[in-house]
Amino acid sequence: MAGGSGTRLRPLTCDLPKPMVPILNRPIAEHIINLLKRHQITEVIATLHYLPDVLRDYFQDGSDFGVQMTYAIEEDQPLGTAGCVKNIAELLDETFLVISGDSITDFDLTAAIEFHKQKKSKATLVLTRVPNPIEFGVVITDEDGKINRFLEKPSTSEIFSDTVNTGTYILEPEVLEYLPEHTECDFSKDLFPLLLAKNEPMYGYIAQGYWCDVGHLDAYREAQYDALQGKVKLDFAYQQVSPGLWVGQNTYIEPSAIIETPAVIGSNCRIGARVNIEDGTVIGDNVTIGADANLKRPIVWNGAIVGDEAHLSACVISRGTRVDRRAHVLEAAVVGSLSTVGEEAQISPSVRVWPSKKIESGAVLNINLIWGNTAQRNLFGQRGVQGLANVDITPEFAVKLGAAYGSTLKPRSQVTVSRDQRNVSRMVTRSLIAGLMSVGVDIQNLDATAIPITRTIIPTMGAAGGIHVRVHPDRPDYILIEFMDGKGINISKAQEKKIEGAYFKEDMRRAQLHEIGDVAYPSQVIDRYCTAFEKLLHVHTLRHSRAKVVIDYVYAVSGAVLPQMLDKFGADAVVLNASLNKNAVSTTDREGLLTQLGHVVEALKANFGVQVSANGEQLILVDESGYPIRGETLTALMVDMILTSNPRSAVVVPVHASSAVELVSRRHDGKVIRTKANPTALMEACQKNSNVVLGGSGDTGFIFPQLHPGFDSMFCIAKLIEMLTIQERSLAAVRSELPRVIHRTYTIRCPWTAKGALMRYLVETHPAQNLELIDGVKICQPYDDNWILVLPDASEPLVHLYVNGSDRDWVDETLRDYRSRVQKFVEREQENHALEV
């Protein structure tokens, strides 16, 4: 069996010899061995030159495949199809068969060998008839099958037969004596013309059955489709679970997935909800397909990851490649192994991407990507380091990240490490700890702890900073790693850049054996938090409130201390769903639990209910009638209550919060400070500005700067009970008194490449006096609180539109107008970018 490097199959064969390219998830070479075995040929010598170890490591001695394998390596230079066989002439002492390592066939080899022996042939070429012989060596035989003439890859004018050489030969050992030693030579060009000239008996056996030379990408795909449709007899690697559907072991397919047959899905795969798989699709082993992905006959190799809503159309996705959500890989495109196709990126038809390349989010690739590698995006996003759990954020990544962070601190610095209760967070946390210890940093391990507790504890320990690991509050398949400074605030951009520098340059110190960091488990962590908590409340007021509150923990909050605290204050806390669940609760399930919470609040005649999320940071309220209060309403309600208790004070809100905040503030002679939309900016503004009593929003949670610098839903609940008691109000009453403001949002897809141009366009087309440029571009109407904000998303290829006003018609009309403007601009930019590419 002879192998080849397969130049026309690049980029599939850059890091893989062509015989190891998979067809139906088995290497071509394995299909050839199965064919040989079916015809009682069990002694196989493989001649190898390009990446020989790949094939040798796979087949080893051949015993697992029912054959005996021997290998001959062409060390210095390729010897050609005949030279490599001449090289092993001493092993060939009887009739032998040569078969190419890069074709798929089910020919009757037994019949061909019988024909060879019957004709007393010295060399028999196995031939087949093809509609278009230009790509192949054409052979002409007489009525008896004796070869008269052949021509290697003829031009159109030279075609004289449709019978072609398949690269399979049955030979007698003595024909090799015509070949020179250690010289590159070829059967078709050198040996066979010589045998013809010497009048040696040479025959052509025209075989019936299937044959495909997998020499180029179109043929590679066609061979897969033909095999699925049963046009060629191949052994499938998996059980046929239903007519035309082969599925490997330990594969889970969501019931809502739609699969047309024929199709192959390998072992250990995960097929998400509502995935659409069209007939002709081949999916390798250990592949993950995200929800709502659309697969139109792609060939997906082992270990690939396909994101939610991705679209693959008759393409090839090589091993270990990642196609992120909403990316499109179109007809006949090929993505080489270990590459990444970013979110919303598009690879145009027939484009080839070589291995280990990165296509940035939102990019449109119209030309082959061969040389170079696109730059890495920053480690840190708008909010810490985030990525797909156990895909982006792996143990190896976390060890290196921990070492990079520790290298920016002095040796023997102390760092607190905490997490939510998920197993994946425990895994990542332990890896971070290992990295920190390796550079001589000591760890205060707070284990599974709510974030508010972590932020309170850090300053009391004299720690240099802290890390908190959790499932992302908005994406249950993501991990979020947040870094805090010695005050408990998220670290600055400058500090993020230092960590990124150490990570990418691998500029990390290595502690000597006696300098390796230590791990301690501090005691009385919760007690310290509770003490700080109590100091900021009117405990006497709480004790007389006799409030009844229903708290829904949604199976997710670590270190939930609130019920004990409220009990201590004489309030009655009814707790729902407090057990810790290993799996993240979906948005749909959370909404169902919120409805349930409303019913419980009504039934128990409680003062209010609260659903706590984001590991103790965020909350949604439910008033006494069971009505949910969240988002902009919750922001305005909290501002109203806190300024009623603390008039002439300041509140900090993000740039996109509704103008209800200003309207409420004017009632209490208060001051509103607006910041960028990210959590770090809110925390910093609360610390930097004097007289701030509240920060945050219904979406992020609320900051009480006197307690600690972060968001804290637990303290927020206690404070609400206190304020409602002192003000003698109910949540429903407060809500009814809030100013009426219309606040609409809309999100538009926008490639990274268009974001800056869009912002410039908006600034240039509006009067400077009407603009606020805190974050994004806010266009204000003179003399009132009407405005529109166009805000690029910091971590995804999106822009968000926020329209705020007192007049519903103005808000609706403005949203329509700017939606159209932005969409047209983005489309125009994409067209221009595509032309440039």
Side-chain angles (χ1 to χ4, degrees):
M1 182 175 78
S5 66
T7 53
R8 286 175 298 161
L9 268 185
R10 291 183 182 270
L12 300 182
T13 55
C14 287
D15 54 358
L16 194 69
K18 203 199 298 189
M20 293 306 292
V21 168
I23 300 276
L24 297 185
N25 298 345
R26 279 183 164 166
I28 294 172
E30 188 176 344
H31 290 297
I32 292 169
I33 284 170
N34 288 340
L35 173 68
L36 296 173
K37 209 164 54 173
R38 282 202 293 273
H39 294 280
Q40 283 70 56
I41 301 169
T42 57
E43 192 177 338
V44 180
I45 304 168
T47 63
L48 308 172
H49 174 69
Y50 181 68
L51 300 173
D53 290 345
V54 178
L55 191 138
R56 197 164 46 181
D57 291 349
Y58 185 85
F59 289 103
Q60 298 188 12
D61 65 359
S63 56
D64 289 347
F65 300 88
V67 294
Q68 178 191 327
M69 293 282 287
T70 310
Y71 302 96
I73 312 294
E74 302 166 46
E75 298 285 359
D76 302 320
Q77 63 177 60
L79 294 172
T81 58
C84 67
V85 177
K86 171 70 174 179
N87 205 30
I88 55 167
E90 72 276 7
L91 302 173
L92 305 169
D93 54 4
E94 58 182 316
T95 304
F96 63 93
L97 178 135
V98 174
I99 187 165
S100 165
D102 52 14
S103 58
I104 289 291
T105 181
D106 56 9
F107 287 158
D108 186 343
L109 300 180
T110 304
I113 294 165
E114 185 60 38
F115 173 89
H116 172 82
K117 289 180 175 174
Q118 197 180 4
K119 298 293 182 184
K120 296 186 171 51
S121 174
K122 293 289 185 191
T124 298
L125 283 65
V126 178
L127 311 176
T128 193
R129 292 198 166 101
V130 297
N132 182 10
I134 287 177
E135 285 288 307
F136 309 105
V138 173
V139 180
I140 196 159
T141 61
D142 64 16
E143 290 177 4
D144 193 35
K146 193 169 184 181
I147 293 173
N148 293 332
R149 188 180 171 200
F150 49 82
L151 186 67
E152 185 69 10
K153 297 186 180 174
S155 67
T156 309
S157 61
E158 292 175 316
I159 291 173
F160 48 79
S161 169
D162 65 350
T163 309
V164 301
N165 178 4
T166 66
T168 301
Y169 316 122
I170 302 149
L171 305 174
E172 294 304 316
E174 55 264 35
V175 300
L176 298 179
E177 292 171 12
Y178 285 101
L179 294 172
E181 299 269 355
H182 310 300
T183 305
E184 183 176 352
C185 49
D186 190 85
F187 283 117
S188 298
K189 291 176 188 169
D190 303 309
L191 180 61
F192 296 151
L194 187 57
L195 293 177
L196 204 59
K198 298 281 186 185
N199 211 23
E200 290 278 15
M202 189 165 52
Y203 285 81
Y205 173 76
I206 301 174
Q208 303 300 310
Y210 182 93
W211 175 78
C212 177
D213 173 28
V214 188
H216 52 82
L217 293 163
D218 291 343
Y220 173 67
R221 288 195 313 278
E222 284 305 317
Q224 306 259 7
Y225 302 148
D226 289 345
L228 278 175
Q229 289 162 6
K231 292 180 182 178
V232 54
K233 184 185 176 188
L234 296 182
D235 297 333
F236 282 73
Y238 316 108
Q239 290 277 322
Q240 188 170 196
V241 296
S242 61
L245 180 60
W246 292 265
V247 179
Q249 296 181 331
N250 192 31
T251 282
Y252 177 73
I253 301 171
E254 282 281 352
S256 56
I258 298 167
I259 303 174
E260 296 176 2
T261 57
V264 169
I265 301 173
S267 299
N268 307 310
C269 294
R270 296 292 176 268
I271 310 297
R274 299 170 302 283
V275 168
N276 187 49
I277 296 175
E278 289 196 7
D279 59 296
T281 297
V282 178
I283 296 172
D285 297 334
N286 307 309
V287 171
T288 302
I289 309 289
D292 300 293
N294 192 5
L295 276 59
K296 296 183 174 181
R297 308 179 86 207
I299 295 150
V300 182
W301 290 15
N302 295 355
I305 295 166
V306 179
D308 296 353
E309 299 177 55
H311 181 99
L312 308 181
S313 183
C315 56
V316 180
I317 304 297
S318 306
R319 65 183 173 83
T321 283
R322 226 179 81 199
V323 180
D324 286 344
R325 62 176 183 166
R326 296 198 186 97
H328 283 57
V329 185
L330 301 181
E331 291 77 6
V334 178
V335 184
S337 59
L338 305 175
S339 292
T340 301
V341 182
E343 289 194 10
E344 303 245 333
Q346 177 177 303
I347 298 179
S348 297
S350 302
V351 167
R352 299 173 190 188
V353 177
W354 260 240
S356 303
K357 297 291 178 277
K358 182 177 173 66
I359 313 301
E360 287 289 346
S361 297
V364 178
L365 190 66
N366 292 322
I367 57 170
N368 293 348
L369 182 57
I370 301 173
W371 308 114
N373 202 336
T374 54
Q376 284 252 24
R377 207 172 276 288
N378 299 338
L379 276 182
F380 284 83
Q382 186 177 26
R383 187 171 193 169
V385 176
Q386 53 183 287
L388 282 163
N390 217 20
V391 175
D392 298 318
I393 310 294
T394 60
E396 312 90 275
F397 170 83
V399 167
K400 189 175 170 185
L401 180 63
Y405 172 45
S407 295
T408 67
L409 306 174
K410 292 176 182 173
R412 300 257 71 90
S413 293
Q414 280 197 87
V415 167
T416 70
V417 177
S418 58
R419 59 177 176 84
D420 69 10
Q421 79 291 348
R422 313 273 183 223
N423 277 350
V424 68
S425 303
R426 177 190 282 129
M427 174 189 81
V428 171
T429 300
R430 287 180 175 179
S431 301
L432 284 163
I433 288 171
L436 285 160
M437 291 172 70
S438 76
V439 296
V441 170
D442 292 332
I443 314 299
Q444 295 288 338
N445 191 345
L446 307 184
D447 265 335
T449 312
I451 299 180
I453 297 175
T454 295
R455 293 195 195 274
T456 305
I457 293 304
I458 288 173
T460 70
M461 289 187 153
I467 305 176
H468 187 85
V469 180
R470 57 172 160 157
V471 170
H472 197 290
D474 304 320
R475 292 191 66 169
D477 55 343
Y478 265 50
I479 284 287
L480 174 60
I481 306 172
E482 289 178 283
F483 292 78
M484 294 160 249
D485 66 14
K487 297 176 184 171
I489 303 175
N490 285 17
I491 60 172
S492 66
K493 288 290 171 202
Q495 183 66 13
E496 287 178 0
K497 291 292 177 201
K498 278 188 188 174
I499 297 169
E500 284 176 351
Y503 181 92
F504 288 121
K505 293 174 191 167
E506 306 216 2
D507 182 17
M508 293 171 260
R509 64 173 180 261
R510 276 278 172 264
Q512 294 181 29
L513 200 60
H514 65 279
E515 296 171 333
I516 287 171
D518 194 13
V519 181
Y521 294 84
S523 58
Q524 299 178 317
V525 169
I526 291 174
D527 291 346
R528 290 191 222 181
Y529 173 72
C530 292
T531 303
F533 191 108
E534 270 185 75
K535 281 181 184 172
L536 296 174
L537 291 168
H538 296 283
V539 177
H540 181 73
T541 304
L542 284 170
R543 289 212 172 102
H544 287 86
S545 70
R546 297 187 180 172
K548 181 183 282 188
V549 181
V550 184
I551 305 168
D552 178 7
Y553 281 127
V554 200
Y555 308 108
V557 177
S558 309
V561 298
L562 187 61
Q564 302 94 293
M565 292 290 289
L566 293 180
D567 185 54
K568 185 177 174 182
F569 300 149
D572 185 5
V574 178
V575 176
L576 307 178
N577 309 319
S579 62
L580 295 179
N581 189 352
K582 288 180 181 174
N583 298 313
V585 176
S586 71
T587 305
T588 309
D589 292 341
R590 197 178 286 168
E591 287 300 314
L593 292 173
L594 190 63
T595 305
Q596 178 196 76
L597 174 62
H599 294 324
V600 173
V601 168
E602 277 191 283
L604 295 180
K605 296 186 169 55
N607 294 72
F608 63 91
V610 59
Q611 187 181 80
V612 177
S613 62
N615 206 17
E617 282 194 332
Q618 294 168 16
L619 75 163
I620 298 173
L621 296 179
V622 171
D623 70 17
E624 63 271 27
S625 64
Y627 185 88
I629 302 171
R630 59 172 124 190
E632 297 304 325
T633 308
L634 179 55
T635 309
L637 179 137
M638 284 301 300
V639 168
D640 183 77
M641 296 202 69
I642 202 86
L643 289 180
T644 300
S645 292
N646 302 274
R648 292 177 296 285
S649 298
V651 293
V652 174
V653 296
V655 65
H656 54 72
S658 88
S659 62
V661 175
E662 275 84 5
L663 296 172
V664 167
S665 173
R666 287 169 200 153
R667 294 176 184 173
H668 305 285
D669 202 15
K671 178 186 176 187
V672 176
I673 300 163
R674 287 185 178 260
T675 72
K676 290 181 183 292
N678 67 71
T680 305
L682 287 163
M683 291 183 215
E684 288 173 346
C686 287
Q687 294 297 308
K688 191 168 66 178
N689 292 283
S690 59
N691 206 22
V692 174
V693 287
L694 183 77
S697 71
D699 294 329
T700 59
F702 296 98
I703 298 166
F704 298 86
Q706 294 78 15
L707 177 61
H708 63 77
F711 309 97
D712 193 333
S713 59
M714 298 185 287
F715 184 78
C716 187
I717 294 163
K719 194 71 181 168
L720 268 171
I721 296 171
E722 176 198 283
M723 291 188 296
L724 289 170
T725 305
I726 292 171
Q727 295 170 25
E728 298 181 342
R729 302 159 89 189
S730 69
L731 280 188
V734 179
R735 181 169 60 83
S736 68
E737 293 164 11
L738 294 175
R740 296 282 177 258
V741 173
I742 316 300
H743 191 266
R744 297 248 193 280
T745 67
Y746 189 81
T747 298
I748 297 172
R749 301 272 139 207
C750 178
W752 294 99
T753 50
K755 283 184 180 178
L758 173 62
M759 295 299 103
R760 188 183 71 240
Y761 159 75
L762 291 169
V763 168
E764 288 172 354
T765 52
H766 292 86
Q769 65 270 24
N770 292 358
L771 297 180
E772 272 184 22
L773 303 176
I774 295 168
D775 200 2
V777 176
K778 184 185 263 189
I779 301 130
C780 306
Q781 299 301 304
Y783 316 118
D784 60 25
D785 290 310
N786 293 358
W787 47 258
I788 174 160
L789 171 67
V790 183
L791 182 65
D793 193 285
S795 51
E796 294 193 45
L798 308 169
V799 287
H800 306 288
L801 306 186
Y802 298 89
V803 186
N804 179 98
S806 52
D807 181 278
R808 189 179 303 275
D809 291 339
W810 181 87
V811 168
D812 290 345
E813 177 60 34
T814 304
L815 183 57
R816 269 195 303 273
D817 176 24
Y818 276 85
R819 195 168 92 188
S820 172
R821 279 199 216 188
V822 171
Q823 280 172 334
K824 282 177 184 170
F825 183 86
V826 168
E827 285 164 12
R828 197 161 60 245
E829 281 295 304
Q830 281 183 289
E831 284 170 14
N832 292 341
H833 182 67
L835 287 170
E836 286 169 18
V837 170

